[in-house]
Amino acid sequence: MVNRWDCRVTTMHPCASLAGIQDDICSWLLHMTPTPVGEHATIRGFKEIRPQCLPPVVQDFPRAKFIINYRRNLTSHALSYQRMHPELSLERSEELLQEKLDKFRLALADVPPSQKMELPLEDFSASAFNKVLAFLGMTQHRFQCVFLEMFSGN
């Protein structure tokens, strides 16, 4: 049987888009260390994993932690999404984005609450980032401020 994380195999992955990041996964696995989270620990992860790719990640990494970022202001997010998909109406863009968020939540439904958190874009702040650090078990570090605001309330 072929290991689904084998870097040389693309057709055996249960998620086709996972094949595109397989080299990153293998690199990530090779560099993982048993170092406890603390001052000198490294936490690795992915900027984005598609909802359909979560089941194998959840299964193969039972202690993984997940942070779902999204925008509460779905219209603002849909306007941004439309730049990449101009063929879609605003309403359809909003529907697709809500469906994607719902799929993430469904894919993580069986993950214990201590291993998942949601962080809306509108909540980005030093306080919110400190909650992320605590969630990841990094209690020796604290954010003091946010230098760049990426949006103005939208």
Side-chain angles (χ1 to χ4, degrees), residues 24-88:
D24 292 333
I25 291 171
C26 290
S27 175
W28 180 54
L29 291 173
L30 291 172
H31 291 95
M32 285 185 352
T33 63
T35 307
V37 174
E39 189 173 340
H40 302 290
T42 299
I43 296 178
R44 300 184 196 283
F46 299 100
K47 177 181 180 283
E48 177 181 357
I49 296 179
R50 301 194 186 286
Q52 65 269 25
C53 297
L54 280 171
V57 174
V58 169
Q59 179 182 340
D60 291 348
F61 301 96
R63 293 176 43 205
K65 293 192 174 191
F66 301 90
I67 301 170
I68 300 175
N69 295 112
Y70 64 97
R71 290 187 189 176
R72 279 193 200 99
N73 185 333
L74 204 54
T75 301
S76 176
H77 193 175
L79 288 168
S80 174
Y81 187 76
Q82 277 189 303
R83 289 187 204 121
M84 296 183 302
H85 304 281
E87 73 281 4
L88 297 176

Side-chain angles (χ1 to χ4, degrees), residues 23-150:
D23 289 337
D24 292 333
I25 291 171
C26 290
S27 175
W28 180 54
L29 291 173
L30 291 172
H31 291 95
M32 285 185 352
T33 63
T35 307
V37 174
E39 189 173 340
H40 302 290
T42 299
I43 296 178
R44 300 184 196 283
F46 299 100
K47 177 181 180 283
E48 177 181 357
I49 296 179
R50 301 194 186 286
Q52 65 269 25
C53 297
L54 280 171
V57 174
V58 169
Q59 179 182 340
D60 291 348
F61 301 96
R63 293 176 43 205
K65 293 192 174 191
F66 301 90
I67 301 170
I68 300 175
N69 295 112
Y70 64 97
R71 290 187 189 176
R72 279 193 200 99
N73 185 333
L74 204 54
T75 301
S76 176
H77 193 175
L79 288 168
S80 174
Y81 187 76
Q82 277 189 303
R83 289 187 204 121
M84 296 183 302
H85 304 281
E87 73 281 4
L88 297 176
S89 69
L90 180 62
E91 293 77 21
R92 183 63 183 140
S93 296
E94 288 177 352
E95 289 172 8
L96 290 172
L97 290 167
Q98 185 61 55
E99 287 173 14
K100 185 176 181 180
L101 179 58
D102 293 343
K103 286 178 183 178
F104 273 114
R105 289 175 172 155
L106 182 62
L108 296 175
D110 293 331
V111 173
S114 62
Q115 290 179 233
K116 62 186 175 185
M117 75 176 295
E118 294 189 7
L119 181 59
L121 177 67
E122 293 87 349
D123 290 352
F124 278 19
S125 65
S127 175
F129 292 144
N130 286 329
K131 289 177 185 175
V132 170
L133 290 177
F135 170 72
L136 295 173
M138 299 181 71
T139 58
Q140 299 175 7
H141 304 283
R142 304 282 297 161
F143 287 96
Q144 300 298 315
C145 63
V146 176
F147 287 113
L148 177 64
E149 186 174 315
M150 297 298 290

